[in-house]
Amino acid sequence: MKELLGGKGAGLAEMTRIGLPVPAGFTITTECCDYYLKHERKYPQSLAAEVKKNLARLERATKKKLGDAKDPLLVSVRSGSARSMPGMMETILNLGLNNQSVEALALNTKNDRFAWDAYRRFVQMYSTVVIGLSKEELEEKLRAMKARLGVRDDTQVPAYGWQELVGEYKEHFKKRTGKDFPEDPEEQLWGAIGAVFGSWMAEKAVKYRQVEHISGLLGTAVNVVQMVFGNVGDNSGTGVCFTRDPSTGEKIFYGDFLINAQGEDVVAGIRTPMQLSEMATRMPKVYRQLQKVRKLLEAHYRDMQDMEFTVEEGTLYMLQTRVGKRTPAATFKMAADMAKEGLITKEEAINRIKAEDIERLFYPVIDPSVPKAELGERKLATGINAVPGAAAGKAVFTAEDAEAMARIGEKVILVRRETSPEDVGGMFAAQGVVTATGGKTSHAAVVARGWGKCCVVGCEQLNIDYISKTATANGRMIRQGDWITLDGNEGVVYEGEVKLSTPELPDTFSTLMGWTDSIRRLRVRTNADTPHDARKGRQMGAEGIGLCRTEHMFFKDFEQPEKSLDRQLAIQEMIIADSPDARRKALEKLLPYQRRDFVGIFKAMDGFPVTVRLIDPPLHEFVPHDREKQEELARKIGVDVEIVARRIEQLYEANPMLGHRGCRLAITYPEILEMQVRAIIEAAVECKKLGIKVLPEIMHPLVMDRKELQILTDATHRVADEIIQKSGVKLEYMVGTMIELPRAALLADEIAEVAQFFSFGTNDLTQMTMGLSRDDAGRFLPDYIDEKKAAVFSYDPFQSLDIHGVGLLIRWCIERGRSTRPKLKIGICGEHGGDTASVKFCHQVGMDYVSASPFRVPIARLAAAQAIIEEHSVRDPGKKIGKSKKKKR
Amino acid sequence: MKELLGGKGAGLAEMTRIGLPVPAGFTITTECCDYYLKHERKYPQSLAAEVKKNLARLERATKKKLGDAKDPLLVSVRSGSARSMPGMMETILNLGLNNQSVEALALNTKNDRFAWDAYRRFVQMYSTVVIGLSKEELEEKLRAMKARLGVRDDTQVPAYGWQELVGEYKEHFKKRTGKDFPEDPEEQLWGAIGAVFGSWMAEKAVKYRQVEHISGLLGTAVNVVQMVFGNVGDNSGTGVCFTRDPSTGEKIFYGDFLINAQGEDVVAGIRTPMQLSEMATRMPKVYRQLQKVRKLLEAHYRDMQDMEFTVEEGTLYMLQTRVGKRTPAATFKMAADMAKEGLITKEEAINRIKAEDIERLFYPVIDPSVPKAELGERKLATGINAVPGAAAGKAVFTAEDAEAMARIGEKVILVRRETSPEDVGGMFAAQGVVTATGGKTSHAAVVARGWGKCCVVGCEQLNIDYISKTATANGRMIRQGDWITLDGNEGVVYEGEVKLSTPELPDTFSTLMGWTDSIRRLRVRTNADTPHDARKGRQMGAEGIGLCRTEHMFFKDFEQPEKSLDRQLAIQEMIIADSPDARRKALEKLLPYQRRDFVGIFKAMDGFPVTVRLIDPPLHEFVPHDREKQEELARKIGVDVEIVARRIEQLYEANPMLGHRGCRLAITYPEILEMQVRAIIEAAVECKKLGIKVLPEIMHPLVMDRKELQILTDATHRVADEIIQKSGVKLEYMVGTMIELPRAALLADEIAEVAQFFSFGTNDLTQMTMGLSRDDAGRFLPDYIDEKKAAVFSYDPFQSLDIHGVGLLIRWCIERGRSTRPKLKIGICGEHGGDTASVKFCHQVGMDYVSASPFRVPIARLAAAQAIIEEHSVRDPGKKIGKSKKKKR
């Protein structure tokens, strides 16, 4: 009943139900909150009576009375929504105290100091949280009082100090509000309820939900619960514990405990807590009781629990239980262990893993050996963890500086108030990016996420001065060139260079990935342009290459880097050439290089298919645009520089994305296609002769029409079949097309008559379908995602597939394509192939495979498995999934 | 039976059937041609026997025998396909002559000279057409013979001269082929049949069909027909006549006639023919007979006929009849007259008109007062009439020169061997374009057609020398700067400046357009951005404005041109501004200008709806990109030039077509939307107060999502409703969207929940669906249309809608849109709204209106009427169409 009672309320109710010791209380539902917010902050009619009734029951249960002069009931009033929003909403403790009941509390506990401290805490919380008075002003009074008394720590303040402070607070209250501080506990209670409800719409809470993509909730519940005190003597205490170790995942009872303290003290970190195990000797009975609770709760919730408890004079009270947060490594270990223990099924174990858990396994992190104390000391500012990972470098404050310093080999971190499109060059050059403003959908976050580049945003403590190129935060100053370190997992900026490391993969990673492989239907391939990437992809579990972009081979020789310039020169000569023969001559120089690359790739993929996409980018991307380099090129290829310049000028396009690229190049210059097919097939024949199993799939990009594809396919077969025939080797290969243009998707039935396979290029398909240039969208797309602005989309459609729009076209395309070629092989090779939601969609619509960059291959494998689990749970809930039949290849 | 017998064969058969005097003969079908071409030039098995049988019948009918030594039958062997391809295919006359039969012919006609002339003509034609010997070499022998005999004209050559020439031709034949010239008439006949079939695939014929978009034909038929001779005395003759005057359309018997001549002589233009009317006195009996034929044929074919006839010794033979070509003015007059006469229905009259007929009515033409003789003298070269109209200017040979001369106010004609993308600037600057190579789908033709700019291509006689900047043709030379005149209707280039004029609209134009209006269902609006264009559109019959582009108002003040700079400055100031307030301040300066423009437009459209599209182009199109102008702008708006430069640099986009434009601007800068809505609604209120009927429709461009449109629509209502409420006037207005992005079309059901109307922006929709930038496609799209290259498309999809692909999306969109809003108003405002095939498609899919530029409005009205006629003829053939119900507005 989390939706109705909130996480905290449901947890308390559930613990009560299974017989655990929980302080008495009641919960006002999230429905009331919804009503309250929708009706100009008025409560539902029946609420007053219900609160009255339940308060009476609470008083009966505790045998105390709110505001009673002899044995007063004190309660906490806490928020609690269905999704955890730590620190975002409000809490009021010790409610029920007033001038009368504080005396009774002092008397009953025989502890003046405790009673008046409790009272001043209540007055402080009520003033700030319910009334909205400045926290600073109250803190200032506290500081002044301590100075007056000559004490440093709160613990040293005597009872009369607190009593004095209560007086001052109340005076301040009257001065600011014109009213007396409420003595009536019921008035206090209603004030607190309203404040908790109202805090749901506070700016920081709204922002948090937006950043975390939390939506569809009614609001917060209000938990009114009897106060129990851990700070009433050495027989009391408070603690937090986990049913397993949240950092390693080990099955040990893990937690912190403080004798004679309240929960706040644990959080505030003023006193160093003891380890939970020490409790065994200090409070053996309570410890044994807690051990039982641990077992009961983990078995009940079937997941690691994060529990809060208080011991009041030897009596254990469970204050909260919830599913505990954990490190990625612990996530894997717990999921695998629990499945092995039989606590959960393998399917549940798979569902416990999130894409981010995998992602974070591969990113560098702050080295675990770095002492906490050092981190505490170095901490400069905290912000929002926009893109995970960690990065260190010299601070720079402009994109130009970032690019200039990176050019001379320096590692830099770009520090900006915010980023805008003209900063992207600098962002790309930097190791990481930190901004003072913005959330997870800000320009900086969106752009950095696209590159998987560590990014911390919304570091509001950072005060950046572009003129002097410095930043200050919490009294420290960073100058341009000073080292800083970002922790994108936690959203923290550190001074200096903190040691980073890439954690080793936990053993349970391969256990779990093995489970995903055994149930998924969707195949997972990798995008790889080089033998090196191909091998990396295999290591990550790829079952073939879904996209091998040949144009990268034109630029770079990965095995003999000194040959890179030869390749570039050959392609440039081809572009400048003014006749098919001259082009052919230049292309012949490229042929051996491409062939060698393909041999390496085929070897790495022995037995797995390799989809090679023929040249795609417009030719102007291959030639120099400054005069000096054009002169050099002219000299090298022995052509007048004016001819070179003129040819390059001719290549200019107003909208290159919609221009002369993709298979349109092969239509105009068939000799490029011929050379590329030759390189692929000759390499395949060579490998075949070496006994390697080769499955080449030749793919034409940017196809828009059946007839166009027919021309390309005919040309491909002409070249390939001749080579195969001459070689005497038996070699099978496929010829297919990318689906990148809406027209191709619309006319899929016709195109499938020619194409042996489809591969969705969802980057381009998204660009065309939405009319959005990925390169330019940074200027306005953040406005479309930002909840404060247009909030048209909840995700960047270049990150996660626009299932609603582009997905509709994909569904249509698959249906129509298979209507004319029922066994049409269909995959996706856009970057969406490594995004969880997109991969699940690919599964749902019946694709055969997805293809992702090597490091995202495990994410795709996971998503494919989760997709089939979701499918089964809808179709046949409860049934276990056996090893599913995967199609061959 | 035109498909099977060809036009000529079908005409002859039909004339025979209705009892007209036709020489005896038979026709070999196009199916045989198809077989012949598909089977390595072998005839179908049965053909030999059939030809034999029919030849025997022909001999019986004529009582002559092929090759007979006494009374030989002579035949003509002519091509004839279902579509007229003038001059493209072959003809052999006088077949049947040999050494024997020529003597018989001489004897029987008592005319040696005639017989030997006939024989040498046959030998000449057979040698060149059937065998492929050089025409030049034979002509040279003729010239030499005439020189030897000292005669100038062919008519002066005596019989022995022709006899000698026959001997020389045969000798030449033997030398070149190693064989004797065939004496066997049957061998001659089969040679001729093969030559006619083969001519179907001759390069010039293939090219002609490609240019004229002729496809789907089987081939040519072969007509074997008894020869009749008009040149056997003064009782003989030959002529061409038309049932009505093909230039004016008047119902007069019009034609040319030559006494004692063959058809060739009329075509060759050696002798000046007499007018047909003279025949009444010279051959009264034949003339009366011909008059009857005229009536019979026009009534039979229900259209103006172009007939060829020969009179052989007082006997009339009809050789051919076909629908006659005519001028646009004559087209209108004949269609209207025939309908009034009851010869055809009004629907047929409407179907007689083609878009080109209307187009050509509005283009300038060579002034009819220019004497034919002058034109003949000035004629420099002929080519293919790629884009109609006429233009005069100084010849220039490079695009740069064209631009430079145009800049100083000179009118120029760009003369190129061919054009390529870098010539477009010069093409745009020129009055017209002429190229030496290329067909109707060449780059020059495609680009010029887009602008409606007069263009002649494939002028192969033109010999262009770029170095000396001269062109020679037929022995004359044109230097750069010399005046030339193009006739794009006829495809002719003239020396000097020929007088041009724009013809007056014929009266029958409005008669016929009235008929179209009375039957069409589809409404026709115009695209107009100014009051002037709006009025022009109304004159052309527009029933509202379908697209009023507000951004043009930012650039130019059409009524007070001196204010244009003020407008530009205001918009530039708005763009440079760095806050909403500063933007608002600048926009307020624009407001009164826009409002005034709208008042003018609303007045022009009193009672008709006006669809206003809010700002669409990316902002960088409004600001200067060179430093000097940026400095000037900075000075004027009082901002540092660096800020101006930086802001403009920020506006740079890699793919502006897919960038920050359309409604995305309104999402980022809502104040632009507010100002524009204010200007529209304030103008509407002002007009309403003046008693003008105003129907504003506010349209948001480039919408991709329902939520996005909701935001824009809400903002629109907020501004509009406040103004209306304050004004106290009752004003209704609509808010709708363009459909330009595939995503919007795909999600039309959702978008229609918000939009009150859809208007397809098919330019952008084509760009996005096909992934084709209109600005860049000139580089490769011609390859896609060229039948010799890829021939993927038969039309430029920016000229005529890609019904197959983009059309599919449009159908989907309309169906889905009306599923949630059944009365959704739907129109089209891309340039396809003025293209016949596209307009018909719009009708078929149930749009409410199309919108076209003012001069294309009549074309759209015509196409809309033709669409409904087609629809009825499919559904209910033969039924007359009554006045159809048009929806209101």
Side-chain angles (χ1 to χ4, degrees), chain B residues 352-415:
Chain B
R352 293 274 162 93
I353 313 293
K354 289 201 196 67
E356 296 81 67
D357 297 323
I358 295 180
E359 219 169 20
R360 288 169 64 173
L361 283 183
F362 292 100
Y363 282 128
V365 294
I366 303 288
D367 193 278
S369 71
V370 179
K372 292 246 155 144
E374 185 191 326
L375 288 179
E377 217 163 85
R378 286 182 181 276
K379 187 185 278 190
L380 193 64
T382 54
I384 298 166
N385 50 346
V387 186
K394 292 181 175 174
V396 289
F397 295 92
T398 70
E400 294 79 45
D401 292 347
E403 290 188 75
M405 286 176 67
R407 213 171 294 126
I408 57 166
E410 299 272 17
K411 287 186 172 183
V412 298
I413 302 286
L414 181 62
V415 184

Side-chain angles (χ1 to χ4, degrees), chain B residues 121 231 238 258 260-273:
Chain B
R121 286 181 196 235
N231 54 349
T238 189
L258 263 175
N260 194 12
Q262 276 289 66
E264 288 175 285
D265 303 325
V266 181
V267 176
I270 300 163
R271 287 163 57 190
T272 307

Side-chain angles (χ1 to χ4, degrees), chain A residues 175-470:
Chain A
K175 212 167 88 190
R176 285 277 179 271
T177 65
K179 288 180 195 161
D180 285 323
F181 188 87
E183 291 285 308
D184 173 11
E186 286 209 26
E187 185 187 343
Q188 292 173 356
L189 181 60
W190 284 105
I193 293 170
V196 170
F197 280 164
S199 68
W200 180 255
M201 291 310 289
E203 194 176 332
K204 63 176 180 178
V206 170
K207 195 165 176 181
Y208 183 90
R209 290 197 294 276
Q210 169 195 336
V211 163
E212 296 289 333
H213 299 300
I214 298 174
S215 63
L217 300 187
L218 288 174
T220 181
V222 179
N223 300 293
V224 180
V225 177
Q226 174 195 11
M227 284 297 300
V228 290
F229 295 97
N231 55 348
V232 288
D234 285 352
N235 201 17
S236 300
T238 190
V240 171
C241 58
F242 300 85
T243 57
R244 303 187 187 217
D245 184 335
S247 31
T248 64
E250 292 294 319
K251 195 176 180 180
I252 54 168
F253 197 23
Y254 178 96
D256 291 332
F257 181 67
L258 263 176
I259 299 280
N260 195 9
Q262 276 289 65
E264 288 176 284
D265 304 327
V266 181
V267 176
I270 300 163
R271 287 163 56 191
T272 306
M274 59 182 75
Q275 292 208 351
L276 196 65
S277 49
E278 274 189 60
M279 229 185 135
T281 48
R282 298 288 292 265
M283 293 185 176
K285 200 183 126 201
V286 175
Y287 185 69
R288 278 195 303 276
Q289 204 182 346
L290 204 55
Q291 281 272 25
K292 274 187 201 150
V293 170
R294 172 198 174 197
K295 270 195 191 156
L296 214 58
L297 281 179
E298 196 176 270
H300 184 72
Y301 284 107
R302 306 168 71 243
D303 201 354
M304 184 268 272
Q305 295 294 300
D306 162 359
M307 303 165 293
E308 288 176 22
F309 62 90
T310 283
V311 182
E312 190 184 73
E313 302 191 47
T315 306
L316 175 68
Y317 291 99
M318 297 308 300
L319 303 186
Q320 177 161 308
T321 188
R322 60 183 173 194
V323 171
K325 302 210 162 158
R326 59 205 79 179
T327 63
T331 303
F332 277 93
K333 176 147 182 65
M334 288 183 196
D337 286 355
M338 288 181 188
K340 285 179 196 160
E341 291 162 19
L343 185 61
I344 59 177
T345 63
K346 281 185 186 173
E347 287 75 25
E348 282 171 303
I350 289 170
N351 274 342
R352 293 273 163 94
I353 313 294
K354 289 199 194 70
E356 297 82 66
D357 297 323
I358 296 180
E359 222 170 18
R360 288 170 64 175
L361 282 184
F362 292 100
Y363 282 128
V365 294
I366 303 287
D367 193 278
S369 72
V370 179
K372 292 246 155 143
E374 184 189 329
L375 288 180
E377 217 163 87
R378 287 182 181 276
K379 187 185 278 191
L380 192 65
T382 54
I384 298 166
N385 51 346
V387 186
K394 291 182 175 173
V396 289
F397 295 91
T398 70
E400 294 79 43
D401 292 347
E403 289 188 75
M405 286 178 66
R407 214 171 292 124
I408 57 166
E410 300 272 18
K411 287 186 171 182
V412 298
I413 301 285
L414 181 62
V415 183
R416 298 286 296 170
R417 276 190 216 126
E418 65 198 342
T419 63
S420 64
E422 64 268 35
D423 295 327
V424 291
M427 294 174 72
F428 191 78
Q431 303 295 310
V433 178
V434 53
T435 64
T437 63
K440 280 195 178 178
T441 56
S442 64
H443 179 264
V446 168
V447 172
R449 196 172 303 125
W451 296 325
K453 191 175 293 263
C454 172
C455 177
V456 177
V457 297
C459 260
E460 288 173 3
Q461 304 116 313
L462 268 186
N463 223 311
I464 300 171
D465 180 3
Y466 289 139
I467 309 291
S468 65
K469 297 191 175 175
T470 58

Side-chain angles (χ1 to χ4, degrees), chain A residues 496-653:
Chain A
E497 185 179 8
V498 180
K499 193 180 169 197
L500 306 182
S501 62
T502 305
E504 264 189 56
L505 286 183
D507 297 339
T508 44
F509 173 73
S510 53
T511 309
L512 262 153
M513 292 315 298
W515 293 349
T516 66
D517 293 344
S518 71
I519 64 166
R520 68 187 159 87
R521 178 190 58 73
L522 200 63
R523 293 266 168 183
V524 176
R525 299 193 190 179
T526 191
N527 299 348
D529 308 335
T530 64
H532 172 266
D533 282 357
R535 287 187 290 269
K536 188 86 220 160
R538 282 288 302 126
Q539 282 166 23
M540 291 290 149
E543 302 160 290
I545 291 178
L547 179 64
C548 173
R549 285 162 295 203
T550 51
E551 57 268 15
H552 288 196
M553 301 176 181
F554 293 165
F555 278 121
K556 207 155 176 184
D557 194 316
F558 286 88
E559 312 212 333
Q560 294 171 273
E562 72 282 4
K563 298 273 186 185
S564 294
L565 281 178
D566 292 357
R567 293 181 174 213
Q568 280 170 35
L569 198 63
I571 184 78
Q572 288 169 345
E573 190 178 336
M574 189 280 291
I575 293 169
I576 304 302
D578 61 355
S579 74
D581 279 345
R583 273 194 293 276
R584 261 191 205 102
K585 229 181 82 194
L587 286 164
E588 257 161 44
K589 297 182 192 168
L590 263 175
L591 176 66
Y593 292 118
Q594 280 219 310
R595 189 171 48 212
R596 203 189 60 211
D597 287 345
F598 287 129
V599 167
I601 288 169
F602 289 145
K603 282 181 180 171
M605 283 292 152
D606 186 6
F608 289 105
V610 175
T611 307
V612 181
R613 181 184 73 183
L614 303 190
I615 185 171
D616 182 56
L619 297 184
H620 65 75
E621 288 193 12
F622 298 95
V623 287
H625 292 269
D626 58 306
R627 184 70 182 188
E628 207 177 306
K629 287 206 179 130
Q630 289 180 355
E631 276 169 2
E632 193 188 325
L633 173 59
R635 228 175 12 254
K636 282 188 182 163
I637 62 174
V639 166
D640 190 273
V641 66
E642 286 310 321
I643 292 174
V644 170
R646 192 170 160 75
R647 178 79 181 115
I648 291 174
E649 200 192 305
Q650 283 173 20
L651 294 176
Y652 167 81
E653 291 181 309

Side-chain angles (χ1 to χ4, degrees), chain B residues 820-835:
Chain B
T820 53
R821 188 185 287 262
K823 292 195 171 169
L824 184 67
K825 189 167 169 178
I826 300 177
I828 181 180
C829 64
E831 296 197 17
H832 299 103
D835 168 75

Side-chain angles (χ1 to χ4, degrees), chain A residues 680-701:
Chain A
I680 296 164
I681 298 295
E682 287 181 353
V685 164
E686 191 179 325
C687 288
K688 200 89 200 244
K689 285 182 178 164
L690 296 172
I692 292 159
K693 208 171 160 201
V694 201
L695 301 162
E697 300 176 344
I698 297 171
M699 179 159 77
H700 296 286

Side-chain angles (χ1 to χ4, degrees), chain B residues 601-615:
Chain B
I601 289 170
F602 289 144
K603 282 182 180 171
M605 283 292 154
D606 185 8
F608 289 105
V610 176
T611 306
V612 181
R613 181 183 72 183
L614 302 190
I615 185 171

